[in-house]
């Protein structure tokens, strides 16, 4: 089958930055990657379309009247990320469809491979944008069109710049009743498979998450003249809140992350008047995540009151925890076992487009072992050629033996 890792390396050269691998929504690098993916889909014998949000979808017909197994993942990235996050879940299904066509084999159902244009949301602070739009159309996107990126470009203008029309968002919608399942192959992005000496895993569930933007407002002042007890220092208050996120998540054995923090008009000799930061909270089930949110935000209010600053929290994104259907787990496990690998079952701490589909169709996921200690969202992210080849063979078997329920 196609050499997926060399294709991942080739796609990795399409980056917004010459210094690292960063591919954000609708940039020139993103569009070059989209064209390359479309070309590989055509080479594999698929009919290809680009949807209203810029996702690239390849289709391989199945038996007359058969429903569709949708396989997919994303081809945008985080900043300074790894080359396999999302991309592997696009390239491996393309390789499998190509192999079926080379063998002259018709799949048991129709197959579609979706390369989602935006999942990480790094450019416009969106999340799961492209998969949401496939199911919700304009309803999930229209409110984002005025968002601006770091250069002040609006989401709508970024669409127009690549020939997409913000007034035709609804055309991205698909009819989920035509799907028999959604399947996503992804690197694990963690150390579990590595720790168990397993190359492939069966995902049992996907942790839910929420992301918040927190703004702390104190009083800017002169670093040399304001006595410490008289300060309403937004930076010191934010720092205490950041540590509160870490402490609450650790205590609850969940995960909480502050990934971005920005001081408004920050200057070395000025007491910070306003600080903004992000909070990302995740849990295997929604009640535990909401309890964590409540604890964290109650602590923010107490810290703000004690320090005489104001704190505002706005929820920017929330996605519910999602189960992987048992019948799909069984078929994924059988495919992994058929290539001589141990089908280790594990939950996903990372979010995936599969969560968005879980609301309307049964979803399944297969993980591929992450090298380098299981690190991801980091340029050190890696997959071995052996594991990629084993994943391709397992995926081929999964597709050939697939039985819709
Ligand atoms: O944040 C996530 O879990 C995914 O990488 N978007
Ligand atoms: Mn990611
Ligand atoms: Mn991903």
């Amino acid at each position: 089958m196609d050499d997926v890792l060399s294709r991942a390396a080739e796609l990795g050269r399409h980056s917004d930055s010459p210094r690292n691998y960063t591919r954000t929504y609708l940039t020139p690098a993103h569009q070059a990657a989209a064209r390359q993916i479309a070309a590989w889909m055509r080479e594999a014998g698929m009919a290809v379309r680009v949807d209203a949000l810029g996702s690239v979808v390849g289709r391989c017909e199945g038996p007359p009247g058969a429903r569709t197994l949708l396989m997919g993942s994303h081809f945008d990235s985080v900043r300074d990320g790894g080359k396999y996050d999302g991309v592997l879940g696009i390239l491996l299904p393309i390789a499998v469809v190509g192999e079926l066509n080379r063998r002259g084999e018709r799949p048991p159902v129709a197959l579609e491979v979706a390369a989602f244009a935006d999942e990480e949301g790094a450019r416009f602070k969106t999340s799961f944008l492209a998969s949401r739009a496939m199911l919700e159309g304009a309803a999930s996107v229209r409110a984002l069109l005025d968002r601006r990126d770091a250069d002040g470009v609006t989401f709508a203008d970024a669409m127009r710049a690549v020939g997409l029309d913000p007034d035709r968002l609804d055309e991205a919608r698909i009819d989920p009743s035509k799907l028999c399942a959604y399947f996503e192959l992804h690197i694990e992005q963690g150390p579990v498979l590595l720790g168990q000496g397993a190359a492939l895993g069966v995902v049992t569930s996907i942790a839910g998450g929420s992301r918040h933007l927190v703004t702390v407002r104190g009083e800017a002042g002169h670093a040399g003249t304001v006595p410490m007890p008289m300060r309403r220092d937004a930076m010191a208050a934010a720092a205490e809140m950041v540590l509160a996120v870490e402490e609450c998540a650790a205590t609850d054995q969940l995960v909480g992350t502050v990934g971005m923090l920005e001081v408004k008009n920050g200057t070395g000799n000025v007491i910070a008047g306003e600080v903004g930061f992000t909070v990302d909270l995740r849990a295997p089930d929604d009640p535990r995540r909401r309890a964590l949110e409540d604890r964290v935000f109650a602590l923010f209010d107490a810290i703000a009151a004690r320090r005489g600053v104001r704190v505002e929290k706005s929820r920017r994104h929330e996605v519910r925890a999602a189960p992987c259907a048992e019948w799909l787990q069984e078929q994924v496990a059988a495919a992994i076992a058929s290539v001589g690998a141990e089908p280790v079952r594990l939950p996903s701490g990372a979010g995936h487009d599969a969560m968005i589909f879980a609301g309307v169709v049964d979803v399944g996921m297969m993980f591929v072992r992450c090298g380098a200690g299981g690190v991801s969202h980091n340029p050190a992210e890696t997959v071995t050629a052996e594991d990629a080849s084993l994943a391709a063979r397992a995926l081929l078997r999964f597709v050939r033996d697939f039985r819709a329920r």
Side-chain angles (χ1 to χ4, degrees):
M1 274 187 277
D2 304 317
D3 179 357
V4 165
L5 292 194
S6 61
R7 287 188 164 184
E10 193 172 337
L11 270 189
R13 284 193 279 279
H14 296 303
S15 172
D16 303 347
S17 163
R19 291 179 300 283
N20 58 49
Y21 171 65
T22 299
R23 184 163 59 228
T24 58
Y25 185 48
L26 298 184
T27 60
H30 180 273
Q31 293 299 285
R35 287 188 293 275
Q36 178 60 75
I37 289 167
W40 284 329
M41 286 179 172
R42 287 190 198 94
E43 264 178 44
M46 289 192 261
V48 180
R49 66 184 177 87
V50 177
D51 84 1
L53 270 294
S55 295
V56 184
V57 184
R59 180 173 174 81
C60 169
E61 292 304 332
R67 287 185 297 160
T68 300
L69 169 62
L70 175 62
M71 300 182 279
S73 199
H74 58 96
F75 67 96
D76 67 315
S77 81
V78 295
R79 298 190 189 291
D80 196 9
K83 295 186 177 55
Y84 305 101
D85 178 359
V87 161
L88 217 55
I90 295 166
L91 296 180
L92 277 164
I94 292 175
V96 163
V97 173
E99 180 64 18
L100 289 175
N101 280 327
R102 267 189 292 280
R103 297 181 183 191
E105 270 186 47
R106 182 195 284 265
V109 291
L111 302 176
E112 285 195 358
V113 180
F116 295 115
D118 183 71
E119 185 263 5
E120 306 284 7
R123 183 176 180 187
F124 294 106
K125 307 291 176 284
T126 50
S127 290
F128 306 107
L129 178 83
S131 48
R132 280 190 201 278
M134 263 193 193
L135 297 178
E136 301 161 19
S140 62
V141 182
R142 191 173 288 121
L144 307 173
L145 291 175
D146 294 336
R147 280 198 184 169
R148 292 180 184 275
D149 67 7
D151 299 324
V153 176
T154 66
F155 184 144
D157 285 344
M159 288 186 73
R160 292 186 192 100
V162 298
L164 296 173
D165 182 347
D167 295 328
R168 300 175 60 176
L169 295 168
D170 249 6
E171 293 177 18
R173 289 186 85 141
I174 64 169
D175 175 0
S177 68
K178 294 200 173 118
L179 301 181
C180 49
Y182 172 85
F183 172 84
E184 185 161 358
L185 181 143
H186 205 286
I187 53 169
E188 180 202 334
Q189 299 184 290
V192 174
L193 293 177
L194 196 64
Q196 297 198 26
L200 304 175
V202 182
V203 179
T204 54
S205 63
I206 309 166
S210 60
R211 216 163 291 169
H212 310 262
L213 186 60
V214 179
T215 307
V216 180
R217 290 187 176 84
E219 185 177 49
H222 195 298
T225 60
V226 182
M228 296 307 282
M230 292 174 66
R231 294 184 179 200
R232 293 193 294 119
D233 184 338
M235 174 69 103
E240 197 173 345
M241 292 173 189
V242 171
L243 291 177
V245 170
E246 183 186 51
E247 188 189 336
C248 288
T251 308
D252 291 7
Q253 294 182 324
L254 300 173
V255 285
T257 311
V258 174
M260 293 173 80
L261 183 143
E262 198 172 341
V263 185
K264 188 176 177 188
N265 303 325
T267 312
N269 59 352
V270 176
I271 302 164
E274 181 175 320
V275 172
F277 61 89
T278 58
V279 177
D280 177 309
L281 301 171
R282 316 261 181 123
D285 64 74
D286 298 326
R288 286 179 66 196
R289 175 170 51 80
R290 291 209 181 91
L292 175 62
E293 285 172 12
D294 293 346
R295 252 156 53 77
V296 166
F297 294 155
L299 274 173
F300 284 7
D301 292 340
I303 291 164
R306 177 165 39 82
R307 287 176 169 271
V309 300
R310 282 176 295 124
V311 63
E312 273 173 33
K313 296 90 88 182
S314 81
R315 181 188 302 269
R316 307 285 280 193
H317 148 73
E318 179 173 30
V319 58
R320 302 171 58 82
C324 289
E326 194 55 47
W327 68 275
L328 283 166
Q329 288 188 44
E330 291 310 319
Q331 294 193 25
V332 173
I336 291 173
S338 76
V339 296
E342 170 64 32
V344 169
R345 292 187 193 235
L346 71 165
S348 173
H352 300 287
D353 289 301
M355 308 167 84
I356 306 304
F357 284 89
V360 293
V361 70
D362 281 349
V363 303
M365 285 195 72
M366 185 191 295
F367 271 170
V368 184
R369 171 168 45 192
C370 247
V375 78
S376 179
H377 283 188
N378 177 314
E381 179 185 283
T382 182
V383 173
T384 66
E386 296 73 26
D387 287 353
S389 166
L390 201 62
R393 286 172 32 226
L395 183 59
L396 179 62
R397 174 55 67 92
F398 170 76
V399 169
R400 294 175 74 198
D401 293 354
F402 180 78
R403 294 295 171 267
R405 245 207 10 184

